[in-house]
Amino acid sequence: MTADPAARPLSPALDKTFKIGLVLKGLDGVLEFVGGILLLFLSPSAINHLVRGLTAHELSEDPHDVVARYLVHTAAHLNHGTTLFGAIYLLSHGIAKIVLVALVLRNKLWAYPWLIGLLLAFIVYQLYRITVVHFSAGLTALTIFDAFLVWLTWREYRAKRAQQHQAGAPVIAPSPDGHRPPGHRHRPGEPEHRARLGETPSRSATGDHVTGPESG
């Protein structure tokens, strides 16, 4: 029977890419957590003042900078309701990413499906934003990255689950006549059973075991 290709371990290059992607997603979670803390404890006017200070140099060089203008426009229209919603959104997503990425990096098998589900939820929301609200090249790139990370996580999960099943597979014992079942392979350290049906071990004069016919 041919092994399922999806259950094979990732190649060294893909395994390294998978770990780098997890670290990047974890750092994204850290940034979201920090942003949520700032939104939770800073007033809308303080955030507006902070954003204007951070973007002043960029806007002085390029008054039409899209990112800087967007940040200033968003900060100018903040209120207590939007900052509270933003804080809860960023904190919940940031904590979820940090915890799940840490568990997957520690090879906790049950955390893999949860990470896949979280990433799929992000992908659905991001596709909605791209197709319905407003197209964004940056959000499109993030969605592609998340989809690739979902595929890598699924491949790694299938491979680790297959390895776990193989490690826990029961050892098939030989039959009483000394013959092993078809397909059984001898493992290092496994005793060889040489007794045959109708023969019992006897002891010779020198103390060695000699196999002979069983007396009637």
Side-chain angles (χ1 to χ4, degrees), residues 80-120:
H80 289 287
T82 55
T83 54
L84 180 60
F85 173 79
I88 295 173
Y89 177 87
L90 291 175
L91 286 173
S92 59
H93 284 71
I95 292 173
K97 287 179 184 178
I98 294 169
V99 171
L100 288 176
V101 166
L103 289 171
V104 169
L105 286 174
R106 294 182 62 185
N107 294 320
K108 301 297 182 181
L109 195 61
W110 60 267
Y112 282 73
W114 284 95
L115 179 61
I116 292 172
L118 182 68
L119 292 174
L120 288 176

Side-chain angles (χ1 to χ4, degrees), residues 22-182:
L22 285 178
V23 171
L24 291 176
K25 188 55 65 176
L27 291 175
D28 179 47
V30 172
L31 292 176
E32 286 185 339
F33 180 79
V34 173
I37 293 294
L38 292 176
L39 288 178
L40 193 62
F41 290 100
L42 293 180
S43 64
S45 59
I47 295 174
N48 186 25
H49 180 74
L50 178 63
V51 170
R52 287 184 178 278
L54 293 175
T55 58
H57 178 71
E58 184 65 30
L59 289 175
S60 64
E61 294 182 350
D62 182 10
H64 301 287
D65 186 278
V66 177
V67 176
R69 288 173 61 87
Y70 174 78
L71 290 174
V72 171
H73 175 77
T74 303
H77 291 80
L78 288 177
N79 55 52
H80 289 287
T82 55
T83 54
L84 180 60
F85 173 79
I88 295 173
Y89 177 87
L90 291 175
L91 286 173
S92 59
H93 284 71
I95 292 173
K97 287 179 184 178
I98 294 169
V99 171
L100 288 176
V101 166
L103 289 171
V104 169
L105 286 174
R106 294 182 62 185
N107 294 320
K108 301 297 182 181
L109 195 61
W110 60 267
Y112 282 73
W114 284 95
L115 179 61
I116 292 172
L118 182 68
L119 292 174
L120 288 176
F122 289 154
I123 290 173
V124 170
Y125 174 73
Q126 289 159 192
L127 287 175
Y128 166 77
R129 296 279 303 179
I130 292 169
T131 57
V132 177
V133 180
H134 176 69
F135 176 78
S136 169
L139 197 59
T140 302
L142 179 61
T143 303
I144 295 172
F145 171 77
D146 285 344
F148 182 60
L149 191 57
V150 165
W151 178 74
L152 289 178
T153 306
W154 173 248
R155 284 286 306 274
E156 185 76 359
Y157 172 67
R158 290 288 301 276
K160 288 186 179 295
R161 190 174 63 174
Q163 291 172 2
Q164 189 180 69
H165 288 336
Q166 291 174 2
V171 178
I172 303 176
S175 59
D177 62 354
H179 296 288
R180 295 184 177 86

